[in-house]
Amino acid sequence: MPGSPRTMNGMFDDRKDAGQRLGRALVKYLGKDVLVLAIPRGGVEAGMEVARTLDADFSLVIVRKLPFPYNAEAGFGAIAEDGSTIIIERATYGVPQDTLERTIEFQQEEIERRIQVLRKGKPLPDLKGRTVILVDDGIAMGSTMRAAIKLCKNQDAKRIVVAVPVTGESVAREIGSLVDEIVVLEKPPFFRAVAQVYRNWYDVSDREVLEIMETWRSETRRNFHQTTD
């Protein structure tokens, strides 16, 4: 909500602003034939701005947190669309196995739904031998990004770069140890939630993701025609 007390002191106006700043921080990849993969839904607008700045290919990688049934804000891991899974073992203590299995199954179904709706059923672009830049609007605990990284490694990406506007110092170190490069614009000393650094923070809908992707496709078609005329 614009101007809410929670976001009044945000460092970024919105996800578009954050994405534009990320793009400038990644300018060394301009024209390097990189692939930007955004994590829906929050990472899509930022990811498109990065891809615009770098004149890069752009798509969505579908990854889902594995939330606790009784607390959707907390989770015990994450799963990516190729089945790459991160499980935080200590977080599963005391949770019945059948509950964990049902949660994983439900999120696998949601992944398939998002592939069909948000990516129009198209497969993930070929990552083999490519430089892949993973973009989200921020990293909280890191499970979702770790699952995306695992997917990229399983798909034989040549170089993996994580680019986010914000995360905590310890999570940045952990994620950075898993990839070739990590770019984080802000690491607040008292980091509580991704939303705290945005003046305009809201949950992104499927409709908004589809609008962003249609904008991208329209720009890509226009640029193609301009270069071939």
Side-chain angles (χ1 to χ4, degrees):
M1 294 180 292
S4 68
R6 178 171 66 152
T7 59
M8 188 66 74
N9 296 319
M11 300 171 187
F12 305 105
D13 291 336
D14 50 26
R15 292 176 174 96
K16 180 177 181 178
D17 175 39
Q20 290 172 342
R21 297 196 205 182
L22 269 180
R24 292 194 290 271
L26 292 159
V27 72
K28 68 181 180 181
Y29 292 102
L30 175 63
K32 301 295 185 181
D33 190 33
V34 300
L35 170 63
V36 175
L37 290 179
I39 299 177
R41 301 183 184 102
V44 178
E45 187 168 24
M48 185 179 73
E49 294 299 333
V50 171
R52 274 175 169 167
T53 301
L54 303 182
D55 191 22
D57 293 335
F58 179 52
S59 189
L60 309 179
V61 58
I62 311 301
V63 189
R64 293 289 295 163
K65 180 173 72 175
L66 297 172
F68 292 112
Y70 50 82
N71 183 4
E73 294 301 315
F76 60 88
I79 184 169
E81 61 180 86
D82 71 334
S84 296
T85 306
I86 299 295
I87 300 293
I88 305 170
E89 297 295 342
R90 66 181 182 276
T92 64
Y93 292 158
V95 182
Q97 185 63 32
D98 63 335
T99 298
L100 301 178
E101 292 174 356
R102 284 199 304 272
T103 300
I104 292 171
E105 182 178 352
F106 178 83
Q107 293 305 329
Q108 287 174 322
E109 292 173 356
E110 175 61 13
I111 283 172
E112 183 56 34
R113 186 195 74 81
R114 291 191 177 206
I115 290 173
Q116 295 302 318
V117 173
L118 303 183
R119 215 166 62 208
K120 305 293 187 181
K122 295 181 179 178
L124 192 68
D126 187 6
L127 309 189
K128 187 173 182 178
R130 300 200 69 179
T131 294
V132 178
I133 301 178
L134 292 169
V135 178
D136 206 347
D137 55 6
I139 302 176
M141 298 304 295
S143 296
T144 301
M145 186 59 75
R146 287 169 59 198
I149 292 166
K150 192 172 182 179
L151 175 148
C152 290
K153 291 182 176 181
N154 289 341
Q155 300 296 319
D156 294 324
K158 179 181 180 180
R159 181 176 177 82
I160 304 171
V161 180
V162 168
V164 293
V166 62
T167 191
E169 185 66 52
S170 62
V171 172
R173 286 196 301 269
E174 177 189 355
I175 297 296
S177 71
L178 302 176
V179 297
D180 298 286
E181 183 180 2
I182 184 169
V183 175
V184 181
L185 301 183
E186 299 288 349
K187 300 173 188 174
F190 302 104
F191 180 61
R192 300 178 306 279
V194 171
Q196 78 185 63
V197 298
Y198 288 90
R199 295 186 183 92
N200 182 13
W201 173 266
Y202 60 92
D203 291 333
V204 180
S205 66
D206 282 357
R207 177 184 58 79
E208 288 170 293
V209 172
L210 291 172
E211 289 173 354
I212 293 167
M213 296 309 296
E214 180 54 38
T215 297
W216 173 258
R217 284 189 291 269
S218 297
E219 290 182 1
T220 301
R221 287 192 297 267
R222 184 167 62 251
N223 292 338
F224 174 79
H225 289 311
Q226 288 174 348
T227 58
T228 55
D229 286 346

